[in-house]
Amino acid sequence: MNIQSMKLIFLGPPGAGKGTISKMAAERLGVPQISTGDMFRTAVKEKTELGLRVQAILAAGGLVPDELTIAIIRERLSWPDVRQSYILDGFPRTIPQAEALAAFSSPDAAVDFEVRDDLILFRLTGRRVCRACGAIYHAVTKPPKVDSICDLCGGELYTRNDDREETVKARLRAYHEETEPLIGYYAGKGRLLTIDGSPDAETVYTTFISEIGRFLKK
Ligand code: AP5
Ligand code: MG
């Protein structure tokens, strides 16, 4: 696919495959992936001021306050690498975040990956992530070649501490209450692409690529 510019938002519940599909697009098309969740987890790991502020919120499965999240994305979108293209993986997650984004950038489309709640629990409780490079695995659907070791960089795989069943339920509640209204928000602007996120990742990626063209400037 030959793209001049591709500014996208990835929507969808926890475990919908936002990280998986955006990493495939980053590798195959060179589009920068910006994940607010990854940025917060790095801050927690490095015990920065931001990390100390958000640690308990992430552990409980709640949402980080809008003004903090918006400030981080506003700063990140000022970097030169995202002038033409980006995928925002997990931002915006509330209507105020979407309205703030509209004031400093114009996304081409919001892609909503639809997945049923029962599949989400299966996906998240089986997820393993590389501590070193962030590659995403699944104990059943995408196991590493060697147990607990990243195929790509040899790093150690771990289970995110918000992937426990109780926390997943809190994240799903936050999603239904705060984030789901964004589907109507972007549909109303004629910028919503809905993709079935339940087949295997390669099928989801192929569907995404075949459908996204009509939202992009020629
Ligand atoms: P974040 O890291 O964004 O978590 P999330 O939205 O809950 O999404 P996940 O990363 O859990 O799921 P995903 O859709 O990326 O799925 P993945 O590809 O990994 O946010 C974490 C926290 O940060 C939030 O709870 C909040 O506190 C805070 N935060 C972040 N952004 C914020 C914001 N804007 N405002 C406020 N707070 C914010 O896939 C999951 C598993 O399924 C993997 O094991 C994968 O291998 C497997 N899988 C994926 N796709 C497929 C497929 N097609 N077939 C089979 N298996 C698959
Ligand atoms: Mg993710």
Side-chain angles (χ1 to χ4, degrees):
M1 186 182 202
N2 198 1
I3 45 150
Q4 303 288 323
S5 167
M6 180 192 262
K7 294 183 175 175
L8 302 181
I9 291 161
F10 274 14
L11 289 176
K18 303 181 295 293
T20 298
I21 303 298
S22 58
K23 279 180 198 297
M24 290 167 85
E27 262 166 41
R28 298 177 191 190
L29 305 173
V31 178
Q33 173 218 13
I34 301 176
S35 158
T36 35
D38 286 349
M39 289 160 110
F40 291 138
R41 278 184 293 279
T42 302
V44 170
K45 189 169 104 188
E46 292 175 353
K47 297 188 167 57
T48 64
E49 201 184 315
L50 172 69
L52 297 175
R53 281 186 73 177
V54 304
Q55 184 164 20
I57 301 172
L58 263 69
L63 290 185
V64 173
D66 285 339
E67 56 291 358
L68 211 55
T69 310
I70 291 164
I72 287 166
I73 287 294
R74 192 200 303 268
E75 196 277 331
R76 180 62 183 86
L77 287 186
S78 70
W79 295 17
D81 65 317
V82 291
R83 212 172 284 148
Q84 297 297 327
S85 297
Y86 58 69
I87 294 176
L88 297 181
D89 163 8
F91 180 94
R93 250 182 167 83
T94 64
I95 297 282
Q97 290 182 16
E99 287 173 343
L101 175 66
F104 54 82
S105 191
S106 304
D108 298 303
V111 186
D112 177 36
F113 294 94
E114 286 187 327
V115 176
R116 298 183 321 272
D117 283 11
D118 58 330
L119 188 53
I120 285 169
L121 206 59
F122 166 78
R123 284 190 180 176
L124 292 184
T125 49
R127 174 164 56 188
R128 306 288 180 267
V129 183
C130 176
R131 229 180 251 293
C133 76
I136 303 167
Y137 296 86
H138 189 278
V140 177
T141 62
K142 196 182 177 218
K145 292 193 182 86
V146 179
D147 194 34
S148 300
I149 302 290
C150 178
D151 294 350
L152 302 178
C153 77
E156 179 205 2
L157 304 188
Y158 80 108
T159 299
R160 268 170 52 176
N161 82 338
D162 60 351
D163 279 348
R164 284 168 293 125
E165 191 167 336
E166 276 320 294
T167 318
V168 169
K169 286 183 178 156
R171 286 160 60 202
L172 271 170
R173 271 196 302 278
Y175 168 76
H176 290 304
E177 281 166 23
E178 305 270 359
T179 309
E180 219 165 23
L182 290 177
I183 295 173
Y185 176 89
Y186 286 110
K189 293 180 182 305
R191 302 231 162 260
L192 183 73
L193 172 61
T194 304
I195 301 277
D196 179 6
S198 48
D200 65 280
E202 205 56 58
T203 303
V204 175
Y205 182 79
T206 305
T207 309
F208 155 65
I209 290 298
S210 66
E211 302 264 332
I212 195 62
R214 64 192 151 95
F215 291 89
L216 305 178
K217 293 170 205 88
K218 294 285 175 301

